[in-house]
Amino acid sequence: MRRSRKRMSILFCKLQYLPPCRKEKVLNLLTPFLFFLHVVSAIAVTILCDRKKISTVLAYGNEIQNHFAQIMLIFFKYNNFFFASQVYPCLIAIVYYTICVRCSNSVRNLTRKISLCSPEEFGPSEQIQVLRYKEKIDEILKITQEIFSVPSFCLIVAYSISCYTMIGWYLVGIKEIAEVIHSSFICTCSFLYLTGTLWIAGSLPVELNKLKDTFYEKAYLRWISFGFPSEQNFRREILAKPEFVFTGCDILHYRRSSVLAVVGTLVTYTLLVINIP
């Protein structure tokens, strides 16, 4: 635990060297929205549910006669449940998304800077500057992978199970509107986390490949156009780097193409269950 906190503090210190981007503002707005949504959901469940029945269940079989006590018990129980099961993991995900978005933006800006540079200007000193800046990004990505590999994978497994559970609820047939709100909130958060993680974390390999291609193309154009025989060329250095992909416990690779696989799996199993006689 102490080592994780130390690595997290190092990560945040290194992130300060990367400029923030506009997309982070959208992620920052998600935090109050999540708090608002889970409170509204808890209030809606409290108002619309059978308070006498639910309060008895939540009180471990002890019937509560006072209406105000019933309301407070149901609200705080559901409020705490929504926060612990959905909001808190989503807050962790927002931190993860922010790191991914900032790194993607930095790689994108570096690629744009190289593309705007002419082959004549893209000499050894400029190439070294690019490689040094990329090394800073690579170090941040490495620390991020070490910290979030296990938590992100565990959340993906948990939210996948939540999605299947909520689909099962709908198929069985939900009678009360409070249960519909309950399951809808959980299913929405779970689905957004699954698709968001794969889409946002999957943007890193795309941007890094663009950077490699742009760097190689610009350095190669300089070499064939001017042909400085004594000049050191750094094309191999950037191409020799293995492709970086965020993974969950080295089991699941976070790529954008996996989003379709997740959606397809959910739809396929839903249709299979519906067609079971």
Side-chain angles (χ1 to χ4, degrees):
M1 183 65 71
R2 184 178 298 177
R3 183 177 181 274
S4 298
R5 287 199 298 266
K6 185 177 180 180
R7 298 293 287 173
M8 185 68 76
S9 61
I10 293 173
L11 175 61
F12 287 148
C13 289
K14 290 183 178 295
L15 273 176
Q16 296 177 1
Y17 295 103
L18 303 183
C21 64
R22 294 180 180 178
K23 291 182 180 179
E24 292 182 30
K25 295 181 180 179
V26 178
L27 295 174
N28 292 335
L29 291 175
L30 281 178
T31 303
F33 176 74
L34 282 173
F35 279 103
F36 171 77
L37 187 61
H38 101 274
V39 172
V40 169
S41 299
I43 293 173
V45 170
T46 304
I47 294 173
L48 299 173
C49 72
D50 185 348
R51 286 190 287 273
K52 184 176 181 180
K53 176 183 176 182
I54 298 299
S55 62
T56 302
V57 173
L58 295 177
Y60 306 102
N62 299 313
E63 187 174 343
I64 299 175
Q65 300 297 334
N66 188 286
H67 292 290
F68 180 75
Q70 291 176 358
I71 292 172
M72 296 304 294
L73 175 64
I74 295 171
F75 172 75
F76 282 112
K77 282 279 189 176
Y78 273 96
N79 184 69
N80 293 338
F81 170 74
F82 285 148
F83 179 82
S85 64
Q86 303 299 321
V87 177
Y88 182 70
C90 285
L91 293 177
I92 298 175
I94 288 174
V95 176
Y96 184 48
Y97 296 164
T98 303
I99 297 170
C100 294
V101 166
R102 182 170 294 191
C103 290
S104 296
N105 181 69
S106 299
V107 175
R108 192 180 304 112
N109 290 338
L110 189 59
T111 305
R112 189 181 300 113
K113 181 180 178 181
I114 296 172
S115 62
L116 294 175
C117 186
S118 65
E120 185 178 1
E121 296 172 344
F122 196 59
S125 59
E126 286 75 15
Q127 295 177 25
I128 290 175
Q129 288 179 4
V130 170
L131 293 175
R132 285 177 177 172
Y133 191 77
K134 183 180 179 297
E135 187 61 32
K136 292 181 180 179
I137 299 174
D138 290 341
E139 191 173 356
I140 292 173
L141 295 177
K142 181 181 177 181
I143 299 174
T144 304
Q145 171 65 17
E146 292 176 0
I147 295 173
F148 289 96
S149 176
V150 176
S152 62
F153 180 74
C154 292
L155 288 176
I156 283 179
V157 173
Y159 279 136
S160 299
I161 295 173
S162 295
C163 282
Y164 288 120
T165 303
M166 295 305 109
I167 290 172
W169 279 21
Y170 282 115
L171 294 176
V172 170
I174 301 177
K175 299 179 180 179
E176 297 184 6
I177 187 64
E179 293 179 348
V180 174
I181 297 173
H182 178 194
S183 58
S184 298
F185 178 75
I186 294 177
C187 194
T188 301
C189 290
S190 301
F191 183 76
L192 288 178
Y193 176 81
L194 290 173
T195 55
T197 300
L198 297 175
W199 184 262
I200 296 176
S203 65
L204 259 303
V206 177
E207 297 298 337
L208 288 171
N209 286 331
K210 288 181 181 179
L211 175 62
K212 284 184 178 182
D213 294 341
T214 306
F215 185 96
Y216 180 85
E217 180 183 354
K218 195 68 65 172
Y220 183 72
L221 283 175
R222 176 180 173 82
W223 181 70
I224 63 174
S225 299
F226 302 99
F228 299 107
S230 60
E231 183 177 284
Q232 186 177 2
N233 197 296
F234 296 96
R235 296 196 306 272
R236 293 181 180 178
E237 277 71 10
I238 197 166
L239 292 176
K241 278 271 189 178
E243 183 184 22
F244 179 86
V245 181
F246 279 119
T247 64
C249 296
D250 291 327
I251 298 174
L252 178 64
H253 291 75
Y254 301 157
R255 295 181 181 274
R256 287 186 170 180
S257 57
S258 302
V259 175
L260 293 177
V262 171
V263 176
T265 302
L266 290 173
V267 173
T268 301
Y269 280 101
T270 302
L271 294 176
L272 286 175
V273 173
I274 291 175
N275 292 327
I276 293 177

